[in-house]
């Protein structure tokens, strides 16, 4: 069974204090790892897709990296507007043309001014 | 750009009542999905569709039915609502996972309370 574990569950940072969120996964046949941002009362907003170990992607203060067992979302010099819940999801191929997307429970990030 | 639109946004039902959540996407995506999100449980797939006229069960399908009569619409029905179906429901859509640009885009959510 595919498993996705995000840590920590919650993270409080001072504005400007860089840190990383972790997404570890146990799957067979990874077909992509997705990062989303979710604000309270809103739907998940797409951030990145990573496909292979060693791949990195950046967007403003965010940088996502991927290894064979985990992904990190690095946040450099965060601002209060970066406060949100960050979701990780893995896509796997389950045969017969069918794909499955499994989400982690998310990390709630709070950035204090 | 509308993207993925869900209606209604909020609804309160009595146990045993029925209702339908509507989802529309304007991105010409083949795949559409219905998820529910509960505290401490993360997003769980209810049903999905790989194209017009097709539907398939996800992780938690019991108590729900779906239909995809048109490519742009995906309907989620509750035949006899139960308090356990109190949740936030998200519709999503994407191109085929085997194609490039297969990002899954989500709607804004529908808050359902069953009393």
């Amino acid at each position: 069974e595919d498993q996705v574990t995000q840590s920590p569950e919650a993270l409080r940072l001072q504005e400007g204090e860089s840190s990383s969120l972790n997404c570890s996964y146990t799957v067979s046949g990874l077909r992509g790892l997705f990062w989303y941002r979710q604000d309270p009362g809103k739907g998940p907003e797409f951030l990145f897709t990573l496909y292979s170990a060693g791949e990195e992607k950046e967007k403003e203060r965010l940088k996502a990296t991927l290894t064979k067992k985990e992904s990190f979302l690095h946040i450099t010099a965060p601002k209060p507007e970066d406060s949100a819940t960050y979701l990780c999801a893995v896509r796997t191929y389950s045969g017969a043309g069918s794909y499955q997307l499994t989400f982690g429970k998310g990390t709630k990030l709070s950035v204090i001014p | 750009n509308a993207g993925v639109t869900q209606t209604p946004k909020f609804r309160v039902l009595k146990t045993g009542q029925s209702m339908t959540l509507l989802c529309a996407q304007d991105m010409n995506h083949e795949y559409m999905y219905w998820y529910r999100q509960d505290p401490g449980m993360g997003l769980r797939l209810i049903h999905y569709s790989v194209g017009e006229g097709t539907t398939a069960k996800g992780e938690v399908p019991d108590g729900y039915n779906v239909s995809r009569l048109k490519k742009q619409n995906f309907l989620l029905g509750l035949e006899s609502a139960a308090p356990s179906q109190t949740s936030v429901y998200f519709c999503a859509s994407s191109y085929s996972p085997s194609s490039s640009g297969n990002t899954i885009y989500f709607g804004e959510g529908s808050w359902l309370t069953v009393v």
Side-chain angles (χ1 to χ4, degrees), chain A residues 36 38 42 51 91 101 105, chain B residues 37 40 48 102 104 107-108:
Chain A
Y36 286 85
Q38 187 174 24
K42 300 289 187 180
Y51 289 100
R91 171 179 273 157
L101 192 69
K105 296 180 180 180
Chain B
Q37 188 175 41
Y48 66 100
N102 56 31
I104 297 178
E108 291 289 278

Side-chain angles (χ1 to χ4, degrees), chain A residues 1 31 34 36 38 40-46 49 51 85 87 91 94 97-106, chain B residues 9 31 33 35 37 40-43 45 48 90 94-99 101-109 111:
Chain A
E1 181 180 327
R31 295 291 189 272
F34 299 80
Y36 286 85
Q38 187 174 24
K42 300 289 187 180
E45 176 187 348
F46 171 75
T49 307
Y51 289 100
T85 296
L87 303 174
R91 171 179 273 157
S94 47
S98 178
Y99 293 79
Q100 180 171 329
L101 192 69
T102 304
F103 280 86
K105 296 180 180 180
Chain B
K9 191 169 180 68
Y31 281 56
Y33 316 81
Y35 288 88
Q37 188 175 41
M41 299 294 292
L43 281 157
L45 183 64
Y48 66 100
F90 289 100
S94 74
Y95 290 116
S96 168
S98 61
S99 67
N102 56 31
T103 300
I104 297 178
Y105 295 93
F106 285 83
E108 291 289 278
W111 274 253

